[in-house]
Every structure is written in C-alpha cells, then in structure tokens.
Amino acid sequence: MTDTVPEPVASFLEAVTAHDATAFTQTFTANPTVDDWGRVLTGFDEIHAWSDKEFIGSAPTLTVTSVTTDGDSVTVVGDWRSRHANGPSSFSFDLEGGRIATMTIREG
C-alpha cells in the first residue's frame, strides 16, 4: 500500500477536486478508456460528454481512504460525493507513458 497518490493519478484527483476539465484531460493518454460501472467510454468525445454530466460537471469531492500501487496500476478507494452519485467508490487506473490509459470505477 502507498501512503501517497503517485503521478499522474495525483494530478487527476486534483483536477477532479478543482472541477478543472482541462487539467483532467491532460492526465490521460491520447485515446483513453473509462469504465464507469460497466459502461465503457472510449476517446475524449465520449469521456467529456459523460464527465460534463456525471463526473467533473457534478461538482465532486473524493475523500481518499486507501491507495494501492502495483507496477503501472493504481487503485484509489474513497468516499465519493457529487450531485450525480454518492458513496464508497474504487477508481482503478492503468498507466502508460506517465499518463492514464484506462480508469475503471466500481463500488469501494
């Protein structure tokens, strides 16, 4: 287990907390994938449309309770609060070249 959140996930979480869509985008690879509870979004057009309503656009906060790092995979578990959804959530990130290639969201 890691006490601190490694990059680029730390920058991603800062962008989400600041509700900064531009900084959020900059943490991803050129063709990212987001799996939001089984709904898979590929590329920035789909991810931005989803995020504008359900993620960054929902004014979220995340209180991190644990961080686990295993090579190029990082899992952050915490208490998610937003206008769209609330509750314990797990965010798993697969990294490529110092950026987020995939993010998978499940119950924490």
Side-chain angles (χ1 to χ4, degrees):
M1 176 127 86
T2 306
D3 291 329
T4 59
V5 182
E7 287 296 339
V9 177
S11 291
F12 169 88
L13 294 175
E14 289 173 16
V16 171
T17 300
H19 313 144
D20 184 339
T22 300
F24 165 81
T25 298
Q26 293 171 345
T27 63
F28 285 99
T29 60
N31 191 29
T33 300
V34 171
D35 178 340
D36 181 23
W37 293 76
R39 182 172 41 147
V40 178
L41 309 154
T42 302
F44 287 114
D45 289 344
E46 289 183 13
I47 292 170
H48 284 185
W50 161 80
S51 179
D52 289 348
K53 295 177 186 173
E54 300 178 31
F55 206 66
I56 300 252
S58 68
T61 61
L62 177 65
T63 303
V64 175
T65 56
S66 71
V67 178
T68 306
T69 302
D70 183 10
D72 285 334
S73 296
V74 178
T75 301
V76 175
V77 177
D79 185 37
W80 177 265
R81 298 288 159 192
S82 73
R83 291 189 302 249
H84 179 75
N86 296 291
S89 299
S90 171
F91 299 84
S92 298
F93 302 90
D94 292 322
L95 310 179
E96 286 180 10
R99 298 206 181 256
I100 298 167
T102 63
M103 175 177 72
T104 303
I105 306 169
R106 296 292 190 267
E107 183 173 359

